[in-house]
Amino acid sequence: MGILKIGVVGCGRIGKLHINNLINSVPGVQVVAAADPMLDKSGAREWLAERKITNVSTDFMDVINNPEVDVVFVCSSTDTHCDVSRAAVQAGKHVFCEKPIDYDIDKIKKLLALVEEKGVKFQV
């Protein structure tokens, strides 16, 4: 197996933590894309560029639709976790989702049924 290519949605505190851990501590992976709606207002664009991540966007769908991305790390605000995860799973991407997935059990059950249907890996 080659390098596992990661796209990160959410470049705030926890997203940056995961990106640094992926870059510095996880062999066989490469962060190839990132998205955050506050990219330019938060300084995240520059922070990502310092780490040689230049495929960036304010629209999370750019990460999900990127054919290079194998796995989507969902590190956005909690209220977006389920919707971003659902979009990634629907696109056939594996997902690592920060906790909680959602506060609505029915939404979680529907997402997990989609994970099963699509046959992707889903980790929280």
Side-chain angles (χ1 to χ4, degrees):
M1 182 172 151
I3 298 213
L4 196 59
K5 299 198 176 175
I6 311 290
V8 178
V9 174
C11 301
R13 183 187 60 80
I14 198 69
K16 288 176 180 175
L17 176 71
H18 283 298
I19 290 168
N20 274 334
N21 287 339
L22 288 164
I23 290 170
N24 298 313
S25 303
V26 183
V29 302
Q30 179 183 7
V31 179
V32 297
D36 190 294
M38 300 300 289
L39 199 61
D40 294 309
K41 294 179 182 175
S42 68
R45 185 181 299 273
E46 293 78 16
W47 186 90
L48 292 161
E50 290 169 4
R51 284 147 188 84
K52 299 184 178 24
I53 303 166
T54 56
N55 187 351
V56 298
S57 176
T58 56
D59 184 350
F60 75 88
M61 288 304 296
D62 290 338
V63 169
I64 290 169
N65 291 327
N66 184 328
E68 257 197 299
V69 172
D70 301 309
V71 180
V72 175
F73 270 54
V74 180
C75 304
S76 51
S77 60
T78 299
D79 62 323
T80 67
H81 287 179
C82 198
D83 293 337
V84 173
S85 294
R86 184 180 314 106
V89 169
Q90 189 66 44
K93 309 287 183 175
H94 303 292
V95 174
F96 170 88
C97 181
E98 267 297 320
K99 64 178 173 62
I101 300 170
D102 201 277
Y103 297 117
D104 182 330
I105 297 297
D106 288 331
K107 284 177 74 174
I108 295 170
K109 287 179 180 179
K110 287 177 184 173
L111 173 60
L112 295 178
L114 183 63
V115 167
E116 189 73 26
E117 176 189 323
K118 293 293 184 178
V120 297
K121 305 290 184 201
F122 186 84
Q123 182 179 8
V124 180

